[in-house]
């Protein structure tokens, strides 16, 4: 999002997406923003799903959105992704390897960093549930920052339309 564009949540609602999918896609946009190279920029309120239309001039944020779900969950995810970016070296580096980019299904996966420091990201841009197996390098468990779940290797992900996963190796 930026001051030059409509807000993601607003655009998705206007396009007729369900509320659940709106917030899955808003979470995916934040996951991409905070796990790709470069300086991440989050527009005011994007971190909790602000949905006001673009206006010229003063535009107050609706802070009361933080008192309801799924806005509160989106805010917590943003906080977790920012913590990951600050604490983990891979999201801050320049290395990015595209593992999957399937335009027919809408599946994209990429790796940030190398070896034990790598994180893996999967996004379902499509409109159908997709399954994908990520070939993670270690026989260990991985934590999905987005869903707060733990996966064992090899990891098979089932991603709903608009859903994303950000996998980080669990530390003992």
């Amino acid at each position: 999002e930026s001051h030059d564009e409509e807000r993601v949540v607003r655009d998705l609602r206007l396009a007729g997406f369900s509320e659940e999918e709106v917030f899955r896609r808003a979470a995916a946009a934040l996951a991409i923003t905070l796990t790709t190279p470069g300086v991440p920029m989050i527009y005011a309120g994007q971190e909790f799903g602000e949905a006001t239309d673009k206006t010229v001039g003063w535009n107050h944020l609706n802070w009361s959105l933080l008192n309801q779900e799924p806005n509160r969950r989106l805010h917590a995810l943003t906080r977790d992704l920012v913590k990951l970016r600050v604490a983990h070296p891979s999201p801050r580096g320049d290395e990015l390897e595209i593992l999957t980019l399937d335009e027919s299904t809408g599946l994209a996966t990429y790796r940030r960093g190398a070896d034990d420091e790598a994180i893996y990201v999967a996004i379902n841009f499509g409109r159908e549930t997709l399954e994908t197996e990520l070939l993670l390098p270690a026989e260990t468990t991985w934590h999905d920052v987005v869903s707060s779940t733990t996966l064992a290797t090899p990891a098979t992900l089932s991603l709903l339309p608009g859903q994303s996963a950000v996998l980080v190796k669990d530390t003992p």
Side-chain angles (χ1 to χ4, degrees):
E1 289 184 12
S2 77
H3 62 273
D4 293 325
E5 306 295 330
E6 291 293 349
R7 294 184 176 277
V8 169
V9 170
R10 178 181 169 75
D11 271 349
L12 292 169
R13 284 179 177 155
L14 290 173
F17 288 88
S18 71
E19 277 301 290
E20 288 180 13
E21 191 169 348
V22 163
F23 279 89
R24 284 195 305 265
R25 290 183 182 276
L30 286 163
I32 294 165
T33 300
L34 291 165
T35 62
T36 53
V39 177
M41 296 181 69
I42 298 173
Y43 190 53
Q46 180 182 358
E47 70 276 17
F48 58 84
E50 180 66 74
T52 57
D53 60 340
K54 180 177 75 172
T55 61
V56 176
W58 196 255
N59 191 350
H60 293 279
L61 294 177
N62 184 1
W63 292 104
S64 66
L65 291 173
L66 287 168
N67 297 325
Q68 60 192 38
E69 294 296 343
N71 303 80
R72 185 175 26 243
R73 230 177 8 258
L74 187 63
H75 185 254
L77 171 62
T78 304
R79 189 174 49 245
D80 291 344
L81 289 168
V82 168
K83 285 179 186 176
L84 172 67
R85 189 169 180 97
V86 169
H88 201 286
S90 293
R92 296 189 313 269
D94 293 329
E95 185 174 342
L96 172 78
E97 180 182 356
I98 303 295
L99 304 172
T100 309
L101 189 55
D102 187 337
E103 292 180 29
S104 65
T105 63
L107 178 66
T109 62
Y110 57 90
R111 180 180 57 85
R112 293 297 316 278
D115 303 323
D116 287 343
E117 296 295 321
I119 66 168
Y120 292 80
V121 180
I123 306 108
N124 179 358
F125 290 102
R127 297 306 314 267
E128 304 293 329
T129 299
L130 299 174
E131 284 202 6
T132 185
E133 185 174 334
L134 286 177
L135 300 176
L136 303 171
E139 290 292 328
T140 186
T141 57
W142 292 74
H143 175 75
D144 178 7
V145 177
V146 177
S147 68
S148 297
T149 59
T150 301
L151 302 161
T153 54
T156 300
L157 298 173
S158 180
L159 298 171
L160 296 169
Q163 189 175 11
S164 59
V166 176
L167 303 177
V168 180
K169 191 164 83 169
D170 268 351
T171 53

